[in-house]
Amino acid sequence: MLLSRRQRWRRWRRSRPFWGGLFAILAGAWICVLPLAPLKVMLQQGVAGIPSVLMGIVMVVLGLTAWFSPPQRALAGVLTTLIATAALVLSNLGGFLIGTLLGILGGGLMFAWQPYAAQRAGGAPPTADPAPPRIASPPPTPHSDPQGAQP
């Protein structure tokens, strides 16, 4: 069975935390590019721009890690969130808050992503479990008094 490019792309994208990685890459690129902006746009210049570039590069690498090594997604998600939060203080308010917000969103999506559950051996899709049987309480006996008084 040959799959079209679109179907292969969809299968690849759904088998990993794609959106979390994409948001992390966008956040890293945004934080990394701002120190290279003109001085009128920048809040800090010089040595203060080095942490921005390094944090941006690390966030891009973490986003790519989530894409190409999905089992490492939890660690990549936590580190992305921590670096995005640190960028708030160390890098022009985290890329004027845009980079920090994208990084926190991407890290959360990477951490929360779960792979699809394997289908059952019969090939049938999993169904909801039937409702548990109801256990009826025994009917009251005709000689019992609800208040426990003796006749």
Side-chain angles (χ1 to χ4, degrees):
M1 177 168 96
L2 295 174
L3 297 175
S4 69
R5 286 185 185 191
R6 188 174 190 181
Q7 289 172 332
R8 282 184 290 171
W9 165 250
R10 185 175 291 149
R11 181 177 287 173
W12 182 86
R13 189 187 67 204
R14 290 182 179 175
S15 67
R16 58 204 69 245
F18 178 78
W19 294 109
L22 181 65
F23 285 132
I25 291 169
L26 290 175
W30 185 260
I31 290 172
C32 191
V33 167
L34 275 181
L36 306 174
L39 188 59
K40 291 180 181 180
V41 177
M42 288 294 301
L43 295 177
Q44 299 175 3
Q45 188 66 23
V47 178
I50 293 173
S52 300
V53 173
L54 291 177
M55 285 188 290
I57 290 171
V58 170
M59 287 178 71
V60 168
V61 168
L62 288 171
L64 292 173
T65 300
W67 277 359
F68 296 110
S69 182
Q72 305 301 323
R73 72 188 176 340
L75 178 63
V78 170
L79 289 177
T80 300
T81 304
L82 290 174
I83 292 171
T85 306
L88 187 63
V89 177
L90 298 173
S91 172
N92 297 313
L93 294 174
F96 301 121
L97 294 178
I98 295 171
T100 294
L101 293 176
L102 285 173
I104 291 172
L105 177 65
L109 287 173
M110 280 190 276
F111 186 78
W113 181 82
Q114 292 291 318
Y116 285 120
Q119 289 192 358
R120 295 184 181 176
T127 59
D129 291 334
R134 295 185 59 138
I135 301 174
S137 60
T141 58
H143 297 293
S144 64
D145 187 14
Q147 290 143 2
Q150 295 290 334

